[in-house]
Amino acid sequence: MEWNAETLQFLSQCFLHTLSHKPEPRRAAESSLAEAADRPNYGLAVLRLVAEPSVDEQIRQAAAVNFKNHLKTRWVPSNDSNARATFSPILDPEKDQIKTLIVSLMLSSTPRIQSQLCEALAVIGKHDFPKSWPTLLPELISNLQKAAQSSDYASINGILGTANSIFKKFRYQYKTNDLLLDLKYCLDNFAAPLLEIFLKTASLVDSMADAPGGGSPATLRPLFESQRLCCRIFFSLNFQELPEFFEDHMREWMGEFRKYLTTNYPSLESNSDGLALVDELRAAVCENISLYMEKNEEEFQGYLNEFASAVWSLLTNVSQSSSRDKLAVTAMKFLTTVSTSVHHTLFANEGVLPQICQSIVIPNVRLRDEDEELFEMNYIEFIRRDMEGSDLDTRRRIACELLKGIATNYKKQVIDIVSVQIQNLLSSFATNPSSNWKDKDCAIYLVVSLATKKAGGTFVSTDLVDVQSFFLSVIVPELQSQDVNAFPILKAGSLKFFTMFRGLIQKPVAFQLFPDLVRFLGAESNVVHSYAASCIEKLLLVKDEGGNARYTSADITPFVPVLMNNLFNALKFPESEENQYVMKCILRVLAAADISREIAGPCIVGLTSILNEVCKNPKNPIFNHYLFESVAILVRRACERDASLISAFESSLFPSLQTILATDVTEFLPYAFQLLAQLVELNKPPISPSYMQIFVLLLSPESWRRSSNVPALVRLLQAFLQKAPHELNQEGRLNQVLGIFNMLVSSAGTDEQGFYVLNTVIENLEYGVLSPYMSNIWNVLFMRLQNNRTVKFQKSLVIFMSLFLVKHGAQNLVGTMNAVQANIFLVILEQFWIPNLKLITGAIELKLTAVASTRLICETPVLLDAAAARVWGKMLDSIVTLLSRPEQDRVEEEPEMPDIAENVGYTATFVKLYNAGKKEDDLLTDVKDPKQFLVASLAKLSAVTPGRYPQIISESLEPANQTALLQLCTTYNCQIV
Amino acid sequence: MADDSSTSHRRDPIKSSVGNVAAQRRRQNAVTVGKERRESLVRAKRLCRVGATGDGDVPVEENDMITDEAGFLLDTQTSSAVEELKSAVAYQGKGAMQKRVNTLRQLRRLLSKSEFPPVEAALKAGAIPLLVQCLSFGSPDEQLLEAAWCLTNIAAGKPEETKALMPALPLLIAHLGEKSSLPVAEQCAWALGNVAGEGEELRNVLLSQGALPPLARMMLPNKGSTVRTAAWALSNLIKGPDPKAATELIKVDGVLDAILRHLRKVDEELATEVAWVVVYLSALSNFATGVLVKSDVLQLLVERLATSNSLQLLIPVLRSLGNLVAADSHTISTVLVPGHEITDGVIKVLVKCLKSDHRVLKKEASWVLSNIAAGSIEHKQLIYSSEAVPLLLRLLSTAPFDIRKEVAYVLGNLCVAPTAGEGKPNLIEEHLASLVQRGCLSGFIDLVRSADIEAARLGLQFTELVLRGVPNGDGPKLVEQEDGIDAMEIYQFHENEDLRNMANGLVDKYFGEDYGIDE
């Protein structure tokens, strides 16, 4: 793509249209850009457009975003063969030009464009820096020095931002010599300029802060941003080990660090934006000193005391404030690191622990307005944090981590202090429950968070309180409270406690509360009814010693009608329409309870009505999955008890399934096919005619084209073939099935699916039914072999022929093939079977092909003929290779293109339904070990004509394979004579 | 199945099994960005304030603080001393030689007077060309000595100041030869040692100008101070990172013998300098290491470790021992064979170091042990049944981070059997069970929480051993008790793919909810 007025015009128009609200011009623009992106120098042209001052800012912004994404996919082409599509990579001359231009362009652009270009630069840097981009760092440094002279903080921060993103790799990669060489290069060049700009900015900050009024926020802001970036770069450069330069200049760095933790900047901190900015710098400082504390505690030791006290007093202030989360968290992490280090004695002084508990831990654990808001506004996120461990960076959690850290060395003291605190909180609650309810919440949170986590959440222990008595005195009253909607957060906390400690609560106590749990399913609060559902669900999984479920179906069956009713009702609350916790509970109850006709009826009605609803717009895949599992388990367990229920299920489910199939709800098709297969299997022949309508769908090539459907379709086809082989043979249906096979197998993108169809047919039908179709089938396969013989296809063909042989005998295999063309069998054998056999992978496939090949050389007259001795030997050679060498020695990396065509842009994937599953049948149960089968067959064969086979073997087998064969004979005590 | 699918969008499949890195011998990284720890004990550049030959004609005050004023005075005096030298060098009349020596001595005294010699003033005044002139062939020894001494102290200055010696290098090297008197050669070696201590660039200049062979030959005689200076200069010169110089040194005839001979001597200072030469030989050059391990050097190192209490000596001796163990499989497989007397000796001295108060010794000793523990089953059993284990267990819970990490490598290695190829290591159940029972798991879980990713990996690897290998399937329970699940959850979204896969894989495998087994 050449850079000229025309290109400029074309690209500007395209980018303008991509911003359009109308879909047509937008899509058109997007597709012309996608097309243009494949041309050389496209990236360069877009970058030039970004830099073109005459172009509208909005267009240039869109171009900058496009440029960044272009680089992401094409700077280094993905070597992932599963990638959906391969992009043509950017060529080296274009890359060089981009690298020459980008730094200066980034620095001279407006903030929004700058941030895009900065990201683009980081993309390049990730692959090219430093070895293939030696000019970058010098360029950044000289620009930094220039910008520093004129105090141009827009540029300074652009450069620091860039440096920050390219140095980030030092934070998470393993310490290898290559990484250290890169790091050393960065340090040698950047450590000194970094300190220089950091100190320069620091003195600017100081002089402004000292001035009357404390400096204008507008001038201070970029300075603080700059210092924060310096701190983040400090973090990256110091992450692997303490560099010499930083050790030599530790005093300078630490001096400024300490200042930022202890100084107030009123002119900024008077509003929340400014405070957040200063806090971000402080948080970055805390991360740096935590790093030093953890890894370089010896060198850092001299600064420890002052920092510990600075962080402590900072935290005492921050803990009282309800915002400032990030700072509170990083500061507490620093103290946690200190508490577990060799310098933990800082905490040993009289009064320190109670102080920390009182003024730092408790205030941070207390529920804040933000938490309450989250509880009400976004219950899913609240649960994720509260229950599922995504709270690694919340104040509540980190405050508890601090306590745990201190407890490593001062366990008894911590337990004593916290126990007292918990008592205090509970008595404060007792004096006035309605106004002091947060104290009780705080107490419950402390107990739960300080407990040790156990596998799957089934067991939790704590030294803090006696769980049983705490449960009885603190939790049970909440759970028995008559108003399910009062103090929902306390209810949620109590349900969480019950869930976490469920293994420790004795059965009679827990069981007594079961009706209360059922009752809380009716609470308006989404968190509360979710937790109630979750609690029931988890209780049903509790196992006693010996592995038996603690709560049996006899225990719960009496509750099931009301429980199910409440569960379905809970799904009617706003925002809980697709509540996965409730649905999972339904699944678990259906798995545990006795499913009588009375229960099955309403359940299937409830589930199908939900199913019909979600079909309209599938959103929550987890909910949907549990929904289909629930249907599957309901059908399975109910029919196990009472087979006659099947027709009732059919009549309820058919309309829904038909809707899914008819309106092509792609996400659900694999589920629908699996459920149908389950229903077919539960039917007694003759199969109801309504299924034959579904069968039409099986015959739709469209269904098979999508790879995500295929496993489920195969399963359905198998079910039909097993339950209704005769129906299949009527009205030319088999012909249609084979038509699908024909269509799929003819293209390299779908031939695997084609073989699935064919193999299912071959496996499940009698030879008599098949024989009229065989020459047609062979014709199709040979045609494909002639037109486009990929290795994958040849391997599939070998597997198919093996399957045919094992199912219907060698005679039929040879006969049907030779019927198409005289003697073609031997040609195919020599050209395709023998060379591809050793490439077969997968345990089942290996066994199948090895056994089939063995039978071929031991049973087939055409191969036993003296004239075929050479082929016989080559076949055996290939079998021995297959059986004696490990896979990686036999199979070379396939030089094939990944399949892309049909599947591009399709996102649904096949997910197996556990409860609709069926066990794989092993075709060859009579053969345990294919190696043994080989040598035993050979021994038997050779006994008939002694002397004949050893000669063939010595003439045609590779020496290594002769040895391997001999070894196999010894192992299995067989002899080839 | 269902639970897996609900999380599959954020958990990558475990690609690599939890590997056996802990079982590999580790050589200390050749590339380093950290400060060279040697400097805190023995400086790479040394000022010569008292003459190398004991010519102490300047009273040296300890810890003299130079005030600004005194510094200024010194600078002016130095400038005028250089001026005088200039005229002395130009002067060709009677007594010219003595005049030159006197002015040189005057300048040398000024440059030796304080901790902070007036190098800048000397350079500004143009001292270098004059000093080079004074080094010309045929000059009297006294003049050569004084000039070399001046250059020594100039070279002890800042990097740029050291570099200023460039024009003097050929002559300084020339005076190392056998024809020079020992004091002159020694003083020149000192100056060159300072130059080599500056860095790789100047080292390469010196090597290309042929400084190494004459310096090496200075190690051969038995004169203590000369050998000490030469050894120190050589240890600076062969620092690398290119191993060529180290290889060249060990190939010089007689050097190996000289090293062994000097290591046997009582003189601890001498042994210290020689031991540093061994450190760099063994750290850099496989060839040199191969030669060393076939000699008596291991035996000598062990003896010194057993008998000395000098930290200055123990550090290089211990590090040499570690390098020899880490770098050459010969050491482990044929020298330190369990049952041999020397092997018991090594373990014994390492235990002594573990007990020492000095953290460097504890750390280096653990490092050496970790490499021995990576050897055969017999090696593992030997350490396992030694006095080291209780010490290591205590260090794992109480020591500073860097020591804990090394200790963890030892304990980890004790629990895995040597493996031939890739894949999960086989574990030594007896060791694992007993170490865990004695409480080491919490130390490893702490490492899992560490910000250091190597340490975190080690922690996860050990956790995997526990989960897989503790008898009766107690592993998961033990990991739970130490809050290990919590620790592993930190990696759920970690940027390091390897750690993320490892941790998530372990949580899924050992703590995943058994969905569906209730039916």
Side-chain angles (χ1 to χ4, degrees), chain A residues 227-283:
Chain A
Q227 295 303 72
R228 187 189 68 83
L229 286 168
C230 286
C231 285
R232 298 309 291 155
I233 295 172
F234 177 102
F235 188 75
S236 299
L237 294 180
N238 280 275
F239 194 89
Q240 295 286 341
E241 51 187 272
L242 175 60
E244 181 164 9
F245 183 89
F246 284 90
E247 184 172 348
D248 289 344
H249 295 88
M250 204 184 278
R251 184 145 294 282
E252 285 113 300
W253 282 103
M254 294 303 145
E256 300 306 318
F257 284 175
R258 200 178 141 263
K259 204 189 297 166
Y260 297 129
L261 295 183
T262 51
T263 314
N264 284 319
Y265 299 91
S267 68
L268 273 178
E269 294 182 47
S270 53
N271 69 56
S272 62
D273 276 6
L275 178 64
L277 190 68
V278 184
D279 276 358
E280 275 175 28
L281 172 59
R282 291 181 181 131

Side-chain angles (χ1 to χ4, degrees), chain A residues 556-567:
Chain A
I556 59 162
T557 303
F559 297 104
V560 169
V562 55
L563 173 56
M564 275 301 173
N565 181 53
N566 283 13
L567 283 166

Side-chain angles (χ1 to χ4, degrees), chain A residues 457-678:
Chain A
T458 46
F459 271 84
V460 163
S461 75
T462 178
D463 300 318
L464 217 51
V465 294
D466 174 52
V467 172
Q468 307 273 355
S469 68
F470 189 86
F471 185 71
L472 287 176
S473 61
V474 179
I475 303 298
V476 169
E478 290 296 332
L479 297 179
Q480 289 178 334
S481 136
Q482 283 314 298
D483 183 357
V484 294
N485 293 321
F487 300 107
I489 293 185
L490 271 187
K491 300 293 180 293
S494 304
L495 288 165
K496 175 178 152 191
F497 187 98
F498 192 4
T499 311
M500 298 289 280
F501 290 99
R502 62 189 176 276
L504 298 178
I505 311 292
Q506 285 157 348
K507 184 170 171 179
V509 179
F511 197 61
Q512 209 188 340
L513 290 165
F514 211 79
D516 294 307
L517 292 177
V518 175
R519 207 161 43 85
F520 275 106
L521 290 171
E524 280 168 18
S525 156
N526 299 86
V527 178
V528 173
H529 59 245
S530 301
Y531 276 12
S534 194
C535 187
I536 295 169
E537 192 254 321
K538 296 273 192 268
L539 278 174
L540 293 181
L541 283 177
V542 174
K543 304 234 178 359
D544 279 324
E545 298 279 329
N548 294 323
R550 185 180 289 178
Y551 303 92
T552 62
S553 64
D555 292 328
I556 59 162
T557 303
F559 297 104
V560 169
V562 55
L563 173 56
M564 275 301 173
N565 181 53
N566 283 13
L567 283 166
F568 280 111
N569 281 338
L571 293 172
K572 291 175 185 149
F573 283 112
E575 304 201 25
S576 273
E577 296 88 351
E578 297 186 15
N579 186 316
Q580 67 199 50
Y581 305 97
V582 174
M583 188 47 82
K584 198 174 179 186
C585 185
I586 291 178
L587 168 62
R588 201 71 70 198
V589 174
L590 290 174
D594 275 342
I595 309 291
S596 61
R597 189 172 272 271
E598 292 66 38
I599 291 170
C603 282
I604 195 66
V605 173
L607 290 172
T608 41
S609 93
I610 296 165
L611 183 54
N612 293 338
E613 201 52 43
V614 293
C615 277
K616 293 174 190 159
N617 181 15
K619 281 180 295 201
N620 182 349
I622 300 171
F623 175 84
N624 295 335
H625 182 81
Y626 291 140
L627 171 62
F628 280 102
E629 284 283 13
S630 299
V631 174
I633 202 166
L634 174 64
V635 170
R636 182 162 63 84
R637 298 197 68 232
C639 291
E640 270 168 15
R641 254 179 75 122
D642 182 354
S644 68
L645 277 168
I646 181 75
S647 57
F649 285 133
E650 282 169 356
S651 53
S652 304
L653 281 171
F654 259 41
S656 311
L657 295 177
Q658 266 159 345
T659 313
I660 294 172
L661 300 176
T663 55
D664 198 24
V665 185
T666 48
E667 292 88 338
F668 289 171
L669 285 176
Y671 289 124
F673 292 133
Q674 290 178 82
L675 285 181
L676 281 167
Q678 190 191 20

Side-chain angles (χ1 to χ4, degrees), chain A residues 131-174:
Chain A
K131 291 188 184 69
S132 313
W133 200 357
T135 54
L136 175 63
L137 202 52
E139 191 178 358
L140 289 177
I141 292 166
S142 77
N143 278 304
L144 179 65
Q145 277 153 354
K146 248 183 277 164
Q149 270 165 19
S150 53
S151 291
D152 168 9
Y153 272 86
S155 294
I156 291 173
N157 290 349
I159 296 161
L160 292 175
T162 306
N164 185 31
S165 48
I166 59 176
F167 293 160
K168 269 185 189 159
K169 67 171 176 179
F170 299 122
R171 291 187 202 168
Y172 57 86
Q173 288 190 6
Y174 284 134

Side-chain angles (χ1 to χ4, degrees), chain A residues 443-462:
Chain A
I444 296 175
Y445 189 90
L446 277 172
V447 174
V448 172
S449 302
L450 294 176
T452 307
K453 220 184 234 177
K454 299 278 177 156
T458 46
F459 271 84
V460 163
S461 75
T462 178

Side-chain angles (χ1 to χ4, degrees), chain A residues 321-370:
Chain A
S321 151
S322 82
S323 54
R324 311 184 78 178
D325 282 8
K326 178 94 199 290
L327 178 58
V329 164
T330 50
M332 283 191 285
K333 279 184 177 169
F334 172 72
L335 287 187
T336 310
T337 309
V338 177
S339 75
T340 55
S341 77
V342 284
H343 301 293
H344 59 77
T345 40
L346 278 177
F347 293 84
N349 292 336
E350 182 73 28
V352 171
L353 287 182
Q355 269 292 316
I356 287 185
C357 197
Q358 187 79 48
S359 59
I360 296 177
V361 175
I362 300 288
N364 280 300
V365 171
R366 281 186 74 85
L367 202 67
R368 291 166 312 124
D369 296 346
E370 285 85 347

Side-chain angles (χ1 to χ4, degrees), chain A residues 172-175 239 244 247-248 294-295 297-298 342 397 404 452-455 541 587 591 626 914, chain B residues 3 33-35 37 359 398 400 450-454 457 480 483 486 489 496 498 513 515-516 519:
Chain A
Y172 57 86
Q173 288 190 6
Y174 284 134
K175 192 188 285 180
F239 194 89
E244 181 164 9
E247 184 172 348
D248 289 344
E294 184 162 0
K295 296 180 76 172
E297 130 282 326
E298 193 180 16
V342 284
R397 167 76 182 268
K404 282 189 191 173
T452 307
K453 220 184 234 177
K454 299 278 177 156
L541 283 177
L587 168 62
Y626 291 140
Y914 179 83
Chain B
D3 271 8
V33 297
K35 206 177 180 104
R37 290 299 143 191
R359 68 188 279 163
T398 56
S450 153
D452 183 284
I453 40 192
E454 256 78 33
R457 178 170 59 181
E480 273 168 24
D483 231 354
D486 200 51
E489 279 177 356
N496 185 303
D498 191 34
E513 211 171 300
Y515 177 81
E519 268 289 311

